[in-house]
Amino acid sequence: RDFCLSRGLGDVYKRQTEDRHMNGNSGECCLTVWEAWRASTTEQTFETFMEGPVADFFLGQSMVELGDDWPFDELPHGRPGIVKAFAEVIGHVDSEEEVAAYLKILSRKQLKGHLLCPCGSGKIIRKCHRSELEAVATRIDPSLATKMLERL
């Protein structure tokens, strides 16, 4: 079926729902594609963004339009999606409180080893998860961490 020819543009906009992975009137879903991609990839070029998430989005839309299921992994919508996405990027984190604690530390311009580790151990960062935090900080810059922390 040729999607573009079989349906009018007005019909397309009426079906824009979170279950079709398209933003509603608010302009947001659980996590914008750009933010999730930035946090999970090391090669951040326009070309890899277009060949990855953008191409997958249009492929998924085409498959759903033909009656198939969405072909890719999905995150929950809203706040649970933000928590799950960043828990996966951070690793060994499973609660919203822990994700928020990590994002708070990552939103700083510089990781300070004397601060309490966000894992909740009560130890300072340099004696706990310093290397893991430094690795995550290469994928989640302070502006992205701040933005996601505000959305929680």
Side-chain angles (χ1 to χ4, degrees):
R1 244 186 318 173
D2 186 346
F3 174 71
C4 293
L5 296 177
S6 67
R7 300 230 175 356
L9 195 55
D11 293 335
V12 172
Y13 286 110
K14 289 177 190 171
R15 290 191 313 273
Q16 289 184 350
T17 67
E18 63 182 21
D19 290 333
R20 288 293 301 272
H21 304 275
M22 298 175 79
N23 297 334
N25 293 334
S26 69
E28 294 189 17
C29 190
C30 60
L31 190 67
T32 66
V33 173
W34 171 250
E35 292 157 340
W37 176 78
R38 272 182 64 197
S40 63
T41 189
T42 55
E43 188 179 346
Q44 297 183 5
T45 65
F46 180 75
E47 182 179 4
T48 58
F49 181 68
M50 295 302 289
E51 291 173 350
V54 173
D56 289 350
F57 172 79
F58 286 112
L59 174 63
Q61 288 294 330
S62 298
M63 292 180 73
V64 170
E65 188 62 29
L66 292 172
D68 293 331
D69 292 330
W70 187 259
F72 307 104
D73 290 337
E74 299 180 71
L75 291 171
H77 296 282
R79 176 183 234 118
I82 294 171
V83 171
K84 185 170 185 208
F86 281 91
E88 289 174 4
V89 171
I90 294 166
H92 72 280
V93 175
D94 58 4
S95 73
E96 183 174 331
E97 293 77 25
E98 284 182 282
V99 169
Y102 273 86
L103 290 174
K104 186 175 180 180
I105 293 290
L106 293 167
S107 67
R108 301 175 66 93
K109 292 182 182 183
Q110 186 177 29
L111 289 176
K112 306 263 185 184
H114 67 279
L115 296 174
L116 286 178
C117 188
C119 75
S121 68
K123 297 178 183 177
I124 60 173
I125 291 172
R126 84 170 61 95
K127 293 185 178 183
C128 199
H129 288 99
R130 182 181 189 143
S131 60
E132 290 94 338
L133 270 168
E134 288 172 344
V136 171
T138 64
R139 295 190 308 272
I140 302 174
D141 65 54
S143 63
L144 179 59
T146 300
K147 187 175 184 178
M148 291 301 96
L149 189 56
E150 289 170 356
R151 289 180 64 187
L152 287 180

